[in-house]
């Protein structure tokens, strides 16, 4: 029964929380507490009395009752309408253990997307949006998110609490916004934030963030199938995830993209990504994530030292830059320029970046080291040291240490 | 705020200080230390000789007694430390994550005590 309850939690947590929080003045914290108590209650009651016919409805009822009790105790005028709505949702039974009558609530609407819009609202600190999404929709603990984000659990708890208070007190709505296509960008960015940390991280908690981000994107895709950027983001993440195994040798050594064995790529994921990207491009809404997905697609179609494809990748990065100038994009462009045979231009590109912004940027130093060596500039050794010293991944560190030893060509 | 990053290493890590893996081992530490300097957060530190060189002094029955071997009997031993000056714990964690320890090692992050009021 414990396992069964755990699997219900895994499957339905976000849906139940969105339903409760959306009806309780956007108070995610209160809804989380009530839902946690409901799961605890299930662990007590179900083993003895058996699983209710509609477990989700049972949990909602118990959590809803607790929220109603909370409102009654507070006797706060502004909650009267909420109270009515919650009571309406739980008509018919005074006993929460009486599972038979609960089947009336069979269809619990999936309002996770609405909650995602609230968590990634532009009024919320961008640093907080991704953690909020992960916690509210997927039920990740503050401790686990903190570990993946490499911050102290205390810092992460504070950020999460701050975000939830903001949603509640600023009256951020749990409705789908009118300017949906504009607002969905914030949701996608927050999902991508989880993915980047997961993709670049070495902690076990960060590895599973990749899958978490993909699940979040799938929720958005399912609800907004004609939003091209949602498909673009999902495609981008699937392309990367398809290479997960190929990134490391069996001895756990780092393998850069251009030395990976394509037979180690997950073809099912690649095919889904290709399909998503081609569908998205037919919608005629170009955007950042579709471009980034196209760059990944080009990388994966490239065979060996293929100059024309590198030039195309440079062009894709230039298009990306006009849409969203990011440091990562500029560095990717410089790397592609060097691969396309124009190291001098690559160095100009790197030199044009604000020094303060790249001082602690590991990929910048790794690309710079490679470019300087191609140009026969002895400064490459120092650049390698910076790239090695800033790396938080042992496999990447070992790879760069070997690269540093290679002679200048 | 100043923090100590105390680096604990396993026997296998200490063994890398000599032999074929030595260049990669030392290179990684030098690269890390130069990155700390380049970022302007380095406030000191030192590497330590291996645990077999340790001597422990205890006060037994009011008398100083000298003993051989490291103080702690554990799989990981202190291999060295860095002092860094960063705005907050999260920055310290970021720098700790870049310390080139192997999977066997660990880094303990501790804030330094503030200097005593009449230190000047």
């Amino acid at each position: 029964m414990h396992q069964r309850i755990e699997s219900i939690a895994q499957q339905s947590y976000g849906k139940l929380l969105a339903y409760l929080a959306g009806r309780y003045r956007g108070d995610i914290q209160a809804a989380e507490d009530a839902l946690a108590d409901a799961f605890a209650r299930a662990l007590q009651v179900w083993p003895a009395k058996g699983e209710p016919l509609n477990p989700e409805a049972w949990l909602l009822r118990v959590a809803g009752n607790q929220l109603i009790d909370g409102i009654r105790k507070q006797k706060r005028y502004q909650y009267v309408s909420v109270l009515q709505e919650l009571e309406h949702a739980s008509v018919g039974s005074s006993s929460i253990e009486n599972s038979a009558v609960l089947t009336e609530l069979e269809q619990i609407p999936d309002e996770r997307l609405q909650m995602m819009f609230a968590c990634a609202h532009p009024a919320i600190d961008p640093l907080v949006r991704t953690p909020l999404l992960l916690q509210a929709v997927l039920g990740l603990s503050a401790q686990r998110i903190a570990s993946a984000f490499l911050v102290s659990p205390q810092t992460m708890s504070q950020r999460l609490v701050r975000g939830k208070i903001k949603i509640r007190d600023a009256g951020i709505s749990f409705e789908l916004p009118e300017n949906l296509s504009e607002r969905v960008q914030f949701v996608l960015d927050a999902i991508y934030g989880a993915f980047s940390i997961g993709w670049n991280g070495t902690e076990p908690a960060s590895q599973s963030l990749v899958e978490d981000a993909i699940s979040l994107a799938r929720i958005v895709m399912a609800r907004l199938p004609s939003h091209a950027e949602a498909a673009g983001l999902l495609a981008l993440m699937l392309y990367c995830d398809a290479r997960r195994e190929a990134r490391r040798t069996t001895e756990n050594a780092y393998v850069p993209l251009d030395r990976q064995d394509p037979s180690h790529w997950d073809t099912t994921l690649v095919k889904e990504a290709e399909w998503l990207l081609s569908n998205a491009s037919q919608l005629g809404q170009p955007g950042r994530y579709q471009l980034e997905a196209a760059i990944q697609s080009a990388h994966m179609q490239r065979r060996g030292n293929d100059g024309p494809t590198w030039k195309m990748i440079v062009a894709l990065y230039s298009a990306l830059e006009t849409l969203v100038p990011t440091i990562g994009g500029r560095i990717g462009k410089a790397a592609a320029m060097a691969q396309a045979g124009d190291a001098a231009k690559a160095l100009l590109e790197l030199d044009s970046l604000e020094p303060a912004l790249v001082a602690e940027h590991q990929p910048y130093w790794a690309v710079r080291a490679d470019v300087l060596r191609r140009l026969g500039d002895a400064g490459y050794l120092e650049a390698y040291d910076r790239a090695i010293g800033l790396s938080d991944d042992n496999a990447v560190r070992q790879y760069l240490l070997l690269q540093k030893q290679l002679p200048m060509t | 705020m100043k923090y100590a990053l105390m680096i604990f290493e396993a026997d296998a890590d200490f063994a890398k200080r000599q032999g074929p893996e030595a260049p990669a081992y030392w290179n990684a530490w030098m690269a890390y230390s130069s990155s700390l300097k380049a970022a302007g957060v380095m406030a000191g530190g030192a590497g330590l000789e291996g645990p077999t060189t340790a001597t422990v002094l205890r006060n037994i029955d009011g008398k100083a007694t000298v003993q051989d071997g490291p103080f702690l009997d554990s799989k990981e031993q202190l291999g060295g430390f860095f002092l860094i000056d960063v705005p907050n714990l999260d920055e310290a964690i970021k720098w700790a994550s870049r310390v080139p320890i192997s999977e066997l090692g660990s880094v303990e992050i501790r804030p330094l005590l503030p200097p005593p009021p009449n230190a000047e």
Side-chain angles (χ1 to χ4, degrees):
Chain A
M1 188 56 88
H2 279 224
Q3 272 183 352
R4 170 71 186 139
I5 294 174
E6 232 169 72
S7 100
I8 292 174
Q10 217 156 47
Q11 204 166 37
S12 312
Y13 180 84
K15 201 166 99 174
L16 298 175
L17 186 70
Y19 184 89
L20 289 167
R23 280 159 187 74
Y24 191 67
R25 291 290 153 123
D27 194 336
I28 294 178
Q29 185 70 61
E32 277 172 344
D33 293 345
L35 195 53
D37 287 349
F39 274 107
R41 193 73 186 270
L43 284 166
Q44 282 174 0
V45 174
W46 294 7
K49 299 204 173 180
E51 183 182 325
L53 286 177
N54 185 340
E56 290 188 342
W58 189 96
L59 290 160
L60 269 191
R61 173 73 52 91
V62 176
N65 282 343
Q66 185 178 325
L67 289 173
I68 292 169
D69 283 349
I71 298 167
R72 286 218 178 93
K73 276 182 201 137
Q74 291 172 4
K75 289 198 183 99
R76 287 179 54 188
Y77 172 75
Q78 67 264 40
Y79 284 126
V80 167
S81 63
V82 192
L83 185 60
Q84 281 164 348
E85 191 175 353
L86 277 168
E87 278 184 338
H88 178 71
S90 55
V91 281
S93 171
S94 52
S95 159
I96 49 168
E97 278 88 9
N98 188 351
S99 56
V101 284
L102 290 168
T103 51
E104 70 207 9
L105 252 178
E106 247 154 33
Q107 280 299 319
I108 294 157
D110 183 358
E111 294 169 0
R112 284 177 298 178
L113 185 64
Q114 284 87 328
M115 185 162 69
M116 289 165 91
F117 274 108
C119 292
H121 193 281
I124 308 266
D125 179 349
L127 266 178
V128 183
R129 292 176 201 159
T130 303
L132 268 179
L133 270 190
L134 291 167
Q135 181 154 79
V137 184
L138 302 177
L140 267 57
S141 70
Q143 175 89 41
R144 225 189 100 194
I145 302 173
S147 165
F149 277 62
L150 281 182
V151 299
S152 59
Q154 197 192 3
T155 303
M156 188 49 76
S157 298
Q158 283 166 355
R159 277 187 204 167
L160 286 162
V161 167
R162 218 168 57 217
K164 288 172 203 165
I165 291 176
K166 177 91 182 203
I167 291 177
R168 185 192 66 195
D169 292 354
I172 287 175
S173 146
F174 271 54
E175 307 282 320
L176 288 181
E178 278 173 25
N179 51 343
L180 197 124
S181 58
E182 194 182 311
R183 285 276 307 280
V184 77
Q185 202 60 39
F186 294 104
V187 175
L188 299 180
D189 290 348
I191 295 173
Y192 188 55
F195 175 82
S196 316
I197 287 169
W199 182 248
N200 296 313
T202 50
E203 307 261 325
S206 47
Q207 300 285 347
S208 63
L209 272 195
V210 169
E211 277 152 54
D212 292 335
I214 290 173
S215 327
L216 289 170
R218 288 196 190 280
I219 297 172
V220 179
M221 263 298 288
R223 293 286 307 278
L224 303 174
S226 58
H227 190 82
E229 276 293 89
L233 174 61
L234 184 54
L236 166 62
M237 298 193 295
L238 293 178
Y239 277 127
C240 295
D241 197 31
R243 304 196 303 259
R244 190 202 305 223
E245 295 298 319
R247 289 200 296 172
R248 295 283 188 273
T249 64
T250 43
E251 289 84 37
N252 205 32
Y254 171 76
V255 187
L257 178 52
D258 52 344
R259 308 235 178 102
Q260 287 175 12
D261 178 355
S263 72
H264 291 171
W265 293 341
D266 184 328
T267 46
T268 319
L269 294 182
V270 176
K271 272 183 197 146
E272 189 187 352
E274 294 289 348
W275 181 83
L276 283 164
L277 186 57
S278 86
N279 277 7
S281 63
Q282 280 160 32
L283 292 167
Q285 311 154 14
R288 170 200 179 171
Y289 293 118
Q290 292 166 78
L291 274 170
E292 293 207 33
I295 290 170
Q296 294 305 321
S297 171
H299 273 302
M300 294 173 81
Q301 280 161 22
R302 190 171 45 74
R303 292 283 177 267
N305 238 345
D306 163 4
T309 314
W310 280 118
K311 289 208 171 76
M312 190 178 86
I313 292 173
V314 172
L316 285 168
Y317 270 119
S318 300
L320 180 63
E321 198 182 324
T322 57
L323 272 181
V324 267
T326 62
I327 303 249
R330 304 270 305 271
I331 293 168
K333 185 178 164 189
M337 283 170 163
Q339 295 277 10
D342 205 343
K345 218 165 146 192
L347 186 60
L348 281 178
E349 183 73 23
L350 292 173
D351 282 342
S352 72
L353 292 165
E354 179 75 43
L357 292 178
V358 293
E360 285 187 38
H361 199 288
Q362 196 270 346
Y364 170 85
W365 292 100
V367 172
R368 188 174 181 89
D370 177 62
V371 168
L372 288 176
R373 186 191 358 234
R374 283 170 193 268
L375 291 170
D377 183 327
Y380 81 94
L381 288 170
E382 197 201 325
Y384 267 117
D385 277 347
R386 296 286 287 274
I388 294 161
L390 289 169
S391 172
D392 62 3
D393 183 333
N394 215 9
V396 171
R397 199 180 288 134
Q398 297 307 322
Y399 172 80
L400 289 171
L401 281 165
L402 287 176
Q403 290 295 303
K404 187 187 163 191
Q405 306 301 323
L406 297 178
M408 249 195 296
T409 42
Chain B
M1 206 172 157
K2 283 188 181 145
Y3 291 88
L5 304 182
M6 290 178 287
I7 290 129
F8 292 87
E9 296 182 281
D11 284 347
D13 299 317
F14 284 106
K16 285 183 198 156
R17 293 178 170 193
Q18 285 95 33
E21 288 184 81
Y25 177 90
W26 292 115
N27 243 315
W29 286 105
M30 258 129 59
Y32 178 71
S33 145
S34 66
S35 292
L36 285 177
K37 282 183 200 130
V41 298
M42 173 75 106
L48 302 175
E49 292 286 354
T52 52
T53 64
T55 307
V56 179
L57 190 137
R58 275 174 215 274
N59 196 329
I60 298 175
D61 297 334
K63 272 189 191 162
T65 309
V66 173
Q67 294 176 338
D68 173 42
F71 174 65
L72 294 165
D73 186 21
S74 72
K75 278 185 186 157
E76 295 173 11
Q77 297 289 345
L78 191 62
F81 65 94
F82 289 98
L83 302 179
I84 59 171
D85 195 352
V86 292
N88 53 47
L89 175 63
D90 292 324
E91 283 297 307
I93 294 175
K94 199 164 82 187
W95 280 106
S97 76
R98 297 164 176 161
V99 171
I101 46 165
S102 76
E103 282 75 6
L104 302 170
S106 62
V107 182
E108 182 172 327
I109 306 164
R110 284 233 219 148
L112 263 59
L113 279 173
N118 51 358
E120 293 306 302

